[in-house]
Amino acid sequence: MGLFDDDFYSPKVSRKALKEHLGARKQGGWRRFRLKNRKSLQLVLMSVIATAVVITALYGILFGFSPTKKLSNLDLSARAVHASDTIRPAVVSIINEQKFSLDLNGGALEKDSEENGVYKEAGVGSGVIIQKDEQYAYIVTNFHVVSTAHRVKAVLTTGKRLEAEIVGMDQITDLAVLKVDAKGIDYVAEIGDSSKLRAAEFVMAMGNPLGMGEAITFGVVSVTRETVPVSLGQNGVLDWEQEVIRVDAAINQGNSGGPLVDLNGRVVGINSMKISNFGVESIGYAIPINNVVPVVEELMEKGYVSRAFLGVSMIDLQQYWSRQQLEADAESGEDSTLNLPKEVYEGIIVLEASGPAKEAGLTYNDVIVKLDDTKITSTRDLRKYLYSNKKIGDEIVVHFYRGKQLMKATVTLGENKPES
């Protein structure tokens, strides 16, 4: 007896069972053959496709080729064209006109001069229409584009020239709002969100470079948020810091005030300045639109931006020393005019005190060295502390030297209302 003596495990097969088995195989054999080969064919096809993908990827890595590269470029170009077409009707050119004397000198007259003269184009810039009501359309541009103008004109993309009125200006943020007759203006730019910008994102700078008419430059966001020192008086003294977006899209004279636009056709910034030193290329700056909007709203409401007001005309102590070139005093460690202690070499000289500062006792030649507990070394420091930390009506402790004596005064801050 074998190990497998029962019928279930027995290796012995009867002729009848074998015949029945072979008959069943003849009937279903072709079906099983087709099923088996279909699965094999699918495996082969999948292997071929996978191999092709791998080879293409390796080829792209080695030779810089991508089968979707051309398609991506076409898509990028189409988006840029669509975005520019969308916003173009809202982009305007700004013309700064000043009145010049009719005499032989032909110099520019003061704004409030009643002398007869002739208006001439003194500068160009750009702007963007951001709001419209039944009567007026409102345009955002830069402060430095219109601050010296005796009158302003806005030129639409259709070539139509409109008389523009300055609604409000703010030197600190370099922004201004104009208004023009709304008749015939049908489009207002869509405002984006500058906080969502990413480095290497494509953007367009639009405006009127060099007065040559509307133009578009294309580039990427280099830095999404950067702080750069600026000279508010355009005199080379860096007395403020501006938060900006850095881009490599060309921004030339005349582009100032125009929109920085994303590929959805939305305004994400207002073009403001560029670095034009020798050897520097494609470094431009735009004011983030998220910073622009609250300033514009306040300019439209009040005509100015309300900030805390200390009431001092000032100059940096170091700037004063460099101007006077007091070499002898520098060697001795003291300044004979101000009579300061030798350890005091940074601070702010009060040239004139008015309003809150005058009421608190500050006067000419006082040298401010600290506000509250914050050391102040420059005009930039003073403005930054004042505008960032204080509100109208707050008290501030001013520490200052009057000669060699360190003194302090508590000032109740006022409001910086513009002179009427």
Side-chain angles (χ1 to χ4, degrees):
M1 180 179 292
L3 292 174
F4 303 103
D5 199 30
D6 58 326
D7 291 338
F8 184 78
Y9 287 106
S10 175
K12 298 179 181 180
V13 180
S14 66
R15 291 183 179 181
K16 181 178 179 181
L18 181 60
K19 184 177 180 180
E20 289 177 354
H21 173 71
L22 291 175
R25 185 175 181 183
K26 287 180 180 180
Q27 292 176 5
W30 175 243
R31 182 180 177 184
R32 285 192 298 271
F33 174 80
R34 286 189 301 171
L35 182 62
K36 181 179 180 181
N37 280 272
R38 182 182 298 171
K39 292 181 178 178
S40 299
L41 182 61
Q42 289 175 344
L43 290 173
V44 171
L45 288 174
M46 290 175 65
S47 299
V48 170
I49 292 171
T51 303
V53 170
V54 172
I55 292 174
T56 302
L58 290 174
Y59 190 83
I61 293 172
L62 293 174
F63 301 102
F65 171 79
S66 170
T68 61
K69 187 174 182 179
K70 186 174 181 180
L71 180 61
S72 297
N73 284 342
L74 289 174
D75 181 61
L76 178 62
S77 177
R79 288 187 65 191
V81 171
H82 177 72
S84 64
D85 286 345
T86 298
I87 196 172
R88 183 180 285 117
V91 181
V92 300
S93 298
I94 303 297
I95 299 176
N96 174 327
E97 291 187 345
Q98 296 179 19
K99 188 164 70 170
F100 290 81
S101 174
L102 295 175
D103 62 22
L104 293 177
N105 294 327
L109 300 172
E110 296 294 330
K111 282 188 178 183
D112 55 356
S113 174
E114 296 181 359
E115 181 181 338
N116 290 331
V118 58
Y119 284 97
K120 296 180 181 179
E121 182 178 303
V124 293
S126 306
V128 59
I129 302 170
I130 48 89
Q131 191 171 321
K132 176 178 173 290
D133 56 31
E134 293 183 358
Q135 189 173 5
Y136 297 109
Y138 296 89
I139 300 168
V140 175
T141 187
N142 285 141
F143 170 89
H144 74 262
V145 170
V146 297
S147 60
T148 60
H150 295 170
R151 67 183 188 186
V152 181
K153 285 187 170 66
V155 185
L156 306 181
T157 53
T158 60
K160 183 178 180 181
R161 290 190 171 213
L162 300 172
E163 296 287 342
E165 180 183 341
I166 298 176
V167 175
M169 300 186 294
D170 183 54
Q171 185 179 18
I172 296 295
T173 56
D174 193 25
L175 292 170
V177 176
L178 316 176
K179 66 179 181 181
V180 296
D181 188 348
K183 186 177 179 181
I185 296 177
D186 301 317
Y187 187 79
V188 172
E190 182 181 353
I191 302 300
D193 184 352
S194 54
S195 69
K196 293 183 179 179
L197 285 175
R198 296 176 296 174
E201 181 174 344
F202 287 102
V203 288
M204 298 178 293
M206 304 181 70
N208 176 26
L210 307 178
M212 300 171 66
E214 62 173 308
I216 303 168
T217 56
F218 194 72
V220 299
V221 174
S222 301
V223 180
T224 59
R225 183 177 179 180
E226 184 172 356
T227 301
V228 296
V230 296
S231 175
L232 294 179
Q234 301 292 307
N235 56 4
V237 179
L238 302 176
D239 49 8
W240 182 238
E241 292 180 347
Q242 182 79 278
E243 183 182 324
V244 291
I245 304 163
R246 192 206 303 176
V247 297
D248 73 350
I251 296 177
N252 295 297
Q253 184 178 358
N255 272 121
S256 293
L260 185 72
V261 184
D262 66 16
L263 292 189
N264 294 310
R266 298 175 300 202
V267 181
V268 292
I270 298 296
N271 305 323
S272 182
M273 53 188 160
K274 64 175 290 185
I275 295 179
S276 55
N277 292 341
F278 179 76
V280 178
E281 295 183 5
S282 300
I283 298 182
Y285 297 105
I287 307 167
I289 198 63
N290 289 16
N291 295 2
V292 171
V293 170
V295 174
V296 167
E297 289 175 347
E298 194 162 359
L299 288 176
M300 291 177 65
E301 179 184 351
K302 298 180 179 179
Y304 65 97
V305 176
S306 180
R307 295 188 180 91
F309 175 63
L310 180 60
V312 291
S313 298
M314 51 198 168
I315 185 175
D316 290 3
L317 182 57
Q318 289 189 340
Q319 182 186 353
Y320 170 80
W321 279 341
S322 65
R323 285 186 179 182
Q324 298 298 318
Q325 297 182 350
L326 300 175
E327 297 179 359
D329 291 331
E331 290 177 3
S332 66
E334 294 186 359
D335 173 52
S336 58
T337 305
L338 299 175
N339 195 30
L340 295 171
K342 61 181 180 180
E343 68 269 14
V344 179
Y345 54 89
E346 292 179 318
I348 301 297
I349 304 173
V350 177
L351 300 180
E352 182 181 2
S354 62
K358 185 176 182 179
E359 293 173 5
L362 272 76
T363 189
Y364 174 73
N365 264 8
D366 287 343
V367 178
I368 299 172
V369 293
K370 189 189 293 186
L371 295 179
D372 294 332
D373 294 324
T374 300
K375 184 179 179 181
I376 300 298
T377 63
S378 65
T379 303
R380 193 191 319 178
D381 287 346
L382 186 145
R383 285 197 173 108
K384 187 174 181 180
Y385 180 80
L386 193 64
Y387 299 155
S388 301
N389 298 280
K390 294 296 181 177
K391 302 188 296 294
I392 298 164
D394 285 355
E395 288 188 345
I396 187 170
V397 179
V398 180
H399 301 257
F400 61 96
Y401 277 93
R402 183 169 292 168
K404 293 183 180 295
Q405 184 179 2
L406 179 62
M407 306 175 67
K408 66 180 179 179
T410 300
V411 180
T412 301
L413 298 172
E415 183 181 11
N416 62 330
K417 290 184 179 180
E419 297 179 2
S420 55

